[in-house]
Amino acid sequence: MVDERKLKRSETFPPETIAEIQRAADEGIYSIRGSGAKRRVPNFDDLILLGASMSRYPLEGYREACETNVTIGARNAKKPIELDIPITIAGMSFGALGANAKKALGLAATMMGTSTTTGDGGMTDEEREASKILVYQYLPSRYGMQPDQLRRADAIEIVVGQGAKPGGGGMLLGQKITERVANMRILPEGIDQRSACRHPDFTGPDDLQIKIQELREITDWQIPIYIKIGASRTRYDVMLAVKAGADAIVLDGMQGGTAASQDVFIEDVGIPTLPALRQAVEALQELDLHREIQLIVSGGIRTGADVAKALAMGADAVSLGMASLMALNCNAPIYIEDYEALGTKPGYCHHCHTGRCPVGVTTQDPELEARLDPEEGARRVRNYLTTLTLECQTLARACGKSHVHNLEPEDLAALTIEAAAMAGVPLAGTDWIPGHNGG
Amino acid sequence: MSAVDLAEISVRELNQRLHDLAPGANETEWTISNPRGRHAIAVGLDAPANLHIDGHVGYYCGGMNKQASIQIDGNAGQGLAENIMSGTVHCTGNASQSAGASGHGGLVVVEGDASSRCGISMKGVDIVVGGSIGHFSAFMAQAGHLVVCGDAGDGLGDSIYEAFIYVGGNVGSLGADCIEKEMTDAHRQTLAELLAKAGIEDDITRFRRFGSARELYNFNIDNAGNY
Ligand code: SF4
């Protein structure tokens, strides 16, 4: 009989590490998975809003208006993006997602007056029709990149990097390269698609500036151009994106999701959303362009509180990837036997790369896809976005703000020293911001 | 005949006029003088116009072209005819890197040399180079043809998918998963047609063909070192 009390767990080699070493020994290749970083990193939960009391005046919860609209890209574009809520849907490809999921997200975004975004492989007619405001991603692979689609877009997002894998290229495993996906990307069906991490026709920010000029020329200066970066050397990257001529910057923290990437990339490259956001805002302020060039932040936004805190730190809008899929039932406790067939459970699934999504979101399999009704999915995502908006407004009113953009760092405090240092707000109950004023 | 002097009007005005061409418009013949290396000249065209550019152009000339036929009497900067969909972009001089990058269709001709990354990520375009090309050309080339009458630099066709490469001169080195392939009569026929379309004369018996070994299409542990 083993005395359980005497078993000493190794913190260096816990069971999951042992399992990974043995998996590597079996397979001889890194593990590839979907979703975002699972490790604990300082995040918006480590911040609190202060609310109003004697020194600040709150707005009346149900009576006084608290606006949520935001304009993106008015700097150069004749037709800037006008969003009713500061919450957008992040770039996810048809291919990574099934057509029903793309459609559901488009319909929901349209109902809420916000934008959705294409991904690798180009634009489908279904998503264009479903989405009133559609942002077209311009990616290193240029899979499915067509000028006619560019001209049908409401904004262009040049993807330089992604939070889940700054410096890494895309990947879509053979199971998901079905006939339609293969045709859109001009690839042989069923291959493991690799995509480049560098754009084929520009390298540094000086070239990118000319690339932006070309894209503006092609679209007759009508639509805004965003640059998306993964969070790493954010201060410098934001400054260079500004120099290159971006109208808006999409900043994706390390918690941001992916359809398929190496686990080591997802967990070990890039910095969390919290410090990246602070650095980006500071960089824009230094250039006197904060609020002039919009900042859209993504990577681990889940609740209206996260939205409010991100806006208070200086973001103009947030973007949702994984959370919007969860609204579509990703990781919901249904079809449990199909999660088990993938070797996982609801709540732990990160198996988007397999193409066998139990809830029909990240799959091209008609039988699985039928589990997601686009209209019903759209209703769920709309409800979720409505909830986030209401939560964010509630918090903003409690801080006395008549527009969610009036939230400011002054409204925040941190619960941990790490979060205080990263977000640049005082540790709760003190005036101390680590790293500020020699502190 | 429309004559545009880029010393007089901006690239923006020129592009707008070209974009505003109505389908079936009579204004099909254009001459453009004094390009002086400006960027993004004649990009995003979607009309059957013939453009004659008299001089050197900067980056991305003819980018995303559809239908139009663009002749550049001079050298071209980076990303010549990038993502071309159809039509022709013909440069009588040399072209900088990434000529024809990610092109989906149409024809790109460089009479002189093209630099590195020529035909990178090409997706159906035909590219004919009278001179030599630099390293890393036809990286991840998916479809279409790259014809090089001179030499090709190192890493040719790295991670190539289904594109065809024909080289008349020497190849520095082949990239991962790119191999020499048999030259059949059908291939010689295709090559002869491409050279004829490009207006370049050469001895087709000199040419060798390269393409994908298709060993990296699905992950195999024995090839791990090539990824
Ligand atoms: S439930 Fe589907 S979308 Fe969610 S993590 Fe699993 S495979 Fe991906």
Side-chain angles (χ1 to χ4, degrees):
Chain A
M1 195 52 179
V2 176
D3 184 345
E4 299 274 339
R5 297 168 310 162
K6 291 185 179 160
L7 295 178
K8 196 163 163 46
R9 176 189 152 101
S10 168
E11 289 299 327
T12 307
F13 294 102
E16 59 271 23
T17 301
I18 298 172
E20 171 52 21
I21 290 172
Q22 288 160 358
R23 187 209 59 75
D26 281 341
E27 297 175 11
I29 184 177
Y30 36 63
S31 102
I32 293 170
R33 68 171 177 87
S35 189
K38 290 194 165 185
R39 64 154 77 211
R40 153 97 202 154
V41 293
N43 63 44
F44 291 111
D45 284 344
D46 300 323
L47 301 181
I48 40 102
L49 289 148
L50 293 173
S53 57
M54 294 286 282
S55 57
R56 297 282 183 284
Y57 221 64
L59 293 189
E60 201 57 70
Y62 298 97
R63 289 183 200 89
E64 289 177 288
C66 177
E67 306 290 340
T68 59
N69 63 307
V70 54
T71 303
I72 297 179
R75 235 176 142 223
N76 294 295
K78 295 195 186 101
K79 295 181 193 155
I81 299 286
E82 303 283 354
L83 302 177
D84 293 343
I85 58 168
I87 310 168
T88 67
I89 303 293
M92 291 177 277
S93 74
F94 167 74
L97 268 55
N100 286 353
K102 285 297 293 180
K103 183 170 177 192
L105 293 173
L107 292 172
T110 301
M111 287 188 255
M112 294 302 294
T114 189
S115 64
T116 181
T117 315
T118 67
D120 227 347
M123 183 192 285
T124 64
D125 287 342
E126 294 100 306
E127 77 178 320
R128 178 61 277 189
E129 278 153 29
S131 315
K132 181 161 176 277
I133 308 172
L134 184 58
V135 181
Y136 190 61
Q137 281 198 335
Y138 190 69
L139 291 125
S141 72
R142 309 278 165 88
Y143 289 134
M145 166 44 236
Q146 308 230 11
D148 289 346
Q149 295 181 356
L150 207 62
R151 288 185 274 257
R152 286 172 82 196
D154 300 297
I156 299 169
E157 180 173 307
I158 301 173
V159 179
V160 172
Q162 191 179 334
K165 46 180 171 184
M171 196 179 262
L172 201 58
L173 299 188
Q175 305 84 298
K176 298 182 88 164
I177 308 286
T178 57
E179 193 183 346
R180 182 172 180 204
V181 174
N183 284 340
M184 279 176 73
R185 300 184 187 207
I186 314 176
L187 288 170
E189 207 177 315
I191 65 157
D192 292 336
Q193 171 217 296
R194 297 152 284 157
S195 21
C197 62
R198 291 204 304 251
H199 281 265
D201 56 357
F202 66 85
T203 36
D206 296 327
D207 286 358
L208 176 53
Q209 187 169 0
I210 306 171
K211 171 52 72 175
I212 288 179
Q213 184 193 344
E214 183 205 10
L215 294 172
R216 290 200 197 283
E217 283 297 321
I218 288 172
T219 53
D220 292 329
W221 294 69
Q222 297 287 317
I223 59 179
I225 297 187
Y226 308 177
I227 293 179
K228 177 174 180 171
I229 52 175
S232 58
R233 293 173 188 83
T234 309
R235 185 181 134 76
Y236 301 111
D237 291 345
V238 165
M239 288 187 164
L240 291 172
V242 169
K243 178 188 176 289
D247 296 318
I249 293 166
V250 181
L251 173 66
D252 193 22
M254 75 173 284
Q255 300 102 305
T258 170
S261 291
Q262 296 91 331
D263 180 74
V264 67
F265 231 134
I266 302 174
E267 296 288 359
D268 294 281
V269 185
I271 64 169
T273 306
L274 205 58
L277 172 53
R278 189 203 87 243
Q279 286 191 319
V281 172
E282 283 174 359
L284 290 171
Q285 284 168 338
E286 214 175 304
L287 299 170
D288 213 9
L289 290 167
H290 185 227
R291 304 287 182 214
E292 179 96 13
I293 291 178
Q294 283 72 38
L295 182 62
I296 304 169
V297 62
S298 57
I301 306 282
R302 306 148 300 175
T303 64
D306 290 348
V307 179
K309 292 168 188 174
L311 298 182
M313 281 181 64
D316 294 277
V318 301
S319 201
L320 307 176
M322 288 303 299
S324 67
L325 304 188
M326 286 171 193
L328 290 174
N329 275 339
C330 157
N331 270 297
I334 49 176
Y335 305 108
I336 289 169
E337 58 295 348
D338 291 332
Y339 286 96
E340 283 171 359
L342 292 170
T344 188
K345 286 187 194 171
Y348 298 88
C349 187
H350 52 225
H351 291 61
C352 316
H353 62 292
T354 64
R356 305 292 309 156
C357 176
V359 294
V361 174
T362 53
T363 180
Q364 301 292 321
D365 180 283
E367 209 171 295
L368 292 172
E369 242 204 294
R371 294 177 180 179
L372 174 65
D373 172 52
E375 308 286 335
E376 164 65 12
R379 197 181 56 78
R380 297 184 60 82
V381 175
R382 184 201 59 189
N383 287 348
Y384 172 58
L385 292 175
T386 303
T387 306
L388 293 189
T389 307
L390 289 171
E391 286 176 346
C392 180
Q393 284 172 305
T394 299
L395 295 170
R397 281 199 195 91
C399 295
K401 315 295 184 187
S402 58
H403 195 297
V404 290
H405 283 148
N406 296 343
L407 285 161
E408 53 195 324
E410 221 272 304
D411 294 311
L412 294 168
L415 297 174
T416 66
I417 295 171
E418 286 84 357
M422 291 188 190
V425 300
L427 186 67
T430 76
D431 297 325
W432 182 41
I433 304 174
H436 280 227
N437 302 324
Chain B
M1 171 79 80
S2 305
V4 173
D5 184 350
L6 284 177
E8 303 286 324
I9 73 163
S10 66
V11 170
R12 175 79 286 269
E13 286 169 81
L14 167 66
N15 284 331
Q16 192 66 59
R17 281 177 62 184
L18 293 166
H19 294 170
D20 290 344
L21 284 177
N26 293 330
E27 223 179 341
T28 56
E29 302 300 317
W30 293 70
T31 58
I32 295 150
S33 53
N34 289 312
R36 294 180 184 168
R38 285 185 183 82
H39 305 307
I41 295 176
V43 294
L45 267 58
D46 187 6
N50 295 315
L51 274 68
H52 190 117
I53 303 175
D54 190 13
H56 308 308
V57 294
Y59 283 37
Y60 309 126
C61 181
M64 302 198 196
N65 186 56
K66 286 180 82 179
Q67 302 189 64
S69 173
I70 302 172
Q71 160 125 358
I72 301 149
D73 278 340
N75 300 322
Q78 187 165 322
L80 173 72
E82 64 86 19
N83 219 94
I84 180 174
M85 303 302 290
S86 62
T88 305
V89 175
H90 187 127
C91 166
T92 60
N94 302 318
S96 183
Q97 58 181 336
S98 305
S102 79
H104 281 64
L107 175 70
V108 179
V109 181
V110 179
E111 290 187 20
D113 297 326
S115 182
S116 56
R117 305 206 258 177
C118 179
I120 184 172
S121 204
M122 55 193 277
K123 296 165 166 58
V125 64
D126 293 329
I127 303 173
V128 182
V129 180
S132 298
I133 59 172
H135 65 274
F136 227 40
S137 289
F139 172 63
M140 284 194 159
Q142 293 168 237
H145 302 85
L146 172 62
V147 178
V148 185
C149 298
D151 302 332
D154 286 338
L156 179 68
D158 195 291
S159 304
I160 186 172
Y161 291 105
E162 295 294 307
F164 295 82
I165 304 176
Y166 298 95
V167 182
N170 296 317
V171 173
S173 64
L174 293 175
D177 213 27
C178 184
I179 53 169
E180 183 166 354
K181 296 197 153 184
E182 192 196 346
M183 192 83 175
T184 65
D185 285 344
H187 295 119
R188 275 185 276 274
Q189 171 80 24
T190 307
L191 175 59
E193 284 167 15
L194 287 165
L195 286 167
K197 260 206 303 191
I200 290 178
E201 278 181 28
D202 209 320
D203 169 14
I204 58 170
T205 60
R206 294 193 309 123
F207 283 78
R208 292 184 294 157
R209 179 170 80 94
F210 303 89
S212 182
R214 304 190 179 97
E215 280 177 0
L216 300 184
Y217 278 16
N218 290 97
F219 185 80
N220 176 340
I221 182 65
D222 298 327
N223 297 327
N226 289 328
Y227 280 89

